[in-house]
Amino acid sequence: MSEETKVKYEKPIPLKTMDNTPYWDAADRHELALQKCETCNSYNHPPGPSCSNCGSVDVVWKNHGSDIQGTVYSYVVSYRPFLPGFQNDIPLVIAVIELTDLPEVKIMGNILHGNAENVTIGTAVKMVWEDVTEDRAVPQWKLA
Amino acid sequence: MNNIRNKYAIVGVGESKRSKNSGVTPLHLALDAARAAIADAGLEAKDIDGFMSYSEGDSCTPHQVATYLGVRPGVVKEIVGGGSSTELLIADAIGLIETGQAKTVLIYRAMNGRSGMRMGGGGWSTDLLQNAFDGGSFLIPYGAGSPGQWFGLFATRHMHLNGLTQEHLGHVCTSFYEHAQRNPNAFFHGKPLTLEDYMQTAHLSSPFTKHDFCLESDEANAIIVTSAERAKDGKSTPVKIMGMAARQTVSHAHYWKNLDEVASDYVAPELYKAAGISPEDIDVASIYDCFSWVVLRQLEAYGLAPKGEVGDFVAAGNLRLNGKLPTNTAGGMLSEGYTHGMNNVLEIVRQVRHEYAGTNRQVENCEIGICTGWAGPDIAGAMILSK
Ligand SMILES: [Zn+2]
């Protein structure tokens, strides 16, 4: 990544916590890791200290690789930057994406470079990773 | 909750001045509202032996309010909570009275919601925000830091699945703004809104325009709850609590896993069972309206409009004063003022009491009212009141 890109990134960078570090570590490697409960077999996203479905502490991380497809489950188009760093991204498409292979998992992100009018519920998208610092990357989406 | 039908009543309601910049602390606002409610009930401060409040770190403590009213109550309780907390605290007050821990409880919400800490956000460190919300690091890096965006995600999907349109949101707004024109204390009194104006207003965050957002204001409201038995000795017209219900649902709002269910869907059957009535029996409504869409979703959840026809229901003018279900008759949080749900409680009490009799604000022959709270899609409370 160029020096120029690095200083330009003014948006919040995902904070790694004791419960979500495997997710963001995988994102930095351009991979998707999801937390799965071994007791009830459900996926937890966002991840937590235990299963949000059944409370079990028997949770593990599953790597789903780099080829992640989904469809738009819902979205908003934001015309005001409610947070710093988004001034140049207006209109900003914030979407919740349903994973094609795991419909129970929904992941929020922005749909990059897609005109808002091309987005509707059901629109096909694929995950891409935006390198935001030397060692951090943020999962995003683009029209498939 | 055990059957408490008609055993408890709201006997006093009161508010502080409403403004954009109160120039005083929330404690001053809370004391003004408390004194107004106590006077409305025809009580003295020393008759109150329980003080309760909810806030999100922006208020004053019940201990302070009691202290500066010169009262040393048995019970003070404060909870962190959003817009369904009035119902949750009334249920707590009933529990305290049932078990003899208190006799008469004052519940308030005080906030410099415009000049102080704004619910709509702004000015906070984004790292702090990521920590403040469960799952915050999955929202904030994407620019999703405002309730308008979060609720918009629920709204877009619901509207898509149910054929609801921007006009339908507009009918909610214009109906409430119309009520505000009859209420001299409403923030948007003198600022009418036509559907044409509404449709020409730009989105802030689709599908919401500025008119679809509640307005933030500096204000406090208070209500007083006691037993129906004790209420007979008071000077005000008591409004009986026929039934109430409140609950959390499994899906945390910030998990986005299921945008199709909301807590109100689960509160509704419990509520009608507790009150022993059905939606058709309701004459007047106060529906939590932090956003216009939230009203549509609750009308559906509480069975107040035919399933699948909520849009047609509001477009037909049914939320207006002469409609089938006059709703948020003081203007609601979209156009009267915003105290995190409480100003709508005051209004439903006044309607059911027929306090506006002889004016153009009174819903004729209204005997039964519903008041709903919404702390987010995942937590809701509601109560049914009658004269
Ligand atoms: Zn589980």
Side-chain angles (χ1 to χ4, degrees), chain B residues 164-221:
Chain B
L164 294 168
T165 63
Q166 191 77 51
E167 278 93 342
H168 294 140
L169 297 184
H171 283 291
V172 173
C173 299
T174 54
S175 301
F176 296 0
Y177 273 68
E178 187 176 293
H179 299 152
Q181 307 318 311
R182 297 195 179 95
N183 173 7
N185 294 326
F187 221 82
F188 288 150
H189 180 71
K191 295 196 173 145
L193 177 69
T194 65
L195 190 62
E196 202 180 8
D197 292 340
Y198 171 86
M199 291 301 290
Q200 283 168 6
T201 307
H203 282 142
L204 283 182
S205 184
S206 69
F208 302 143
T209 72
K210 66 177 180 183
H211 301 299
D212 299 289
F213 280 68
C214 62
L215 57 95
E216 295 165 306
S217 46
D218 292 1
E219 185 180 356
N221 293 160

Side-chain angles (χ1 to χ4, degrees), chain A residues 36-42 44 50-56 58-59:
Chain A
K36 190 187 180 195
C37 173
E38 296 274 77
T39 303
C40 73
N41 283 321
S42 67
N44 295 306
S50 55
C51 173
S52 60
N53 184 50
C54 75
S56 168
D58 192 5
V59 289

Side-chain angles (χ1 to χ4, degrees), chain B residues 43-52 66 71-76 96-97 100-106 224-226 230:
Chain B
L43 296 171
E44 291 178 46
K46 66 174 171 49
D47 298 323
I48 311 293
D49 56 358
F51 289 79
M52 294 186 183
V71 180
R72 306 292 173 261
V75 176
V76 286
L96 289 168
I97 302 170
Q101 298 177 73
K103 292 187 173 73
T104 304
V105 178
L106 183 139
I224 298 171
V225 179
T226 192
R230 194 167 289 267

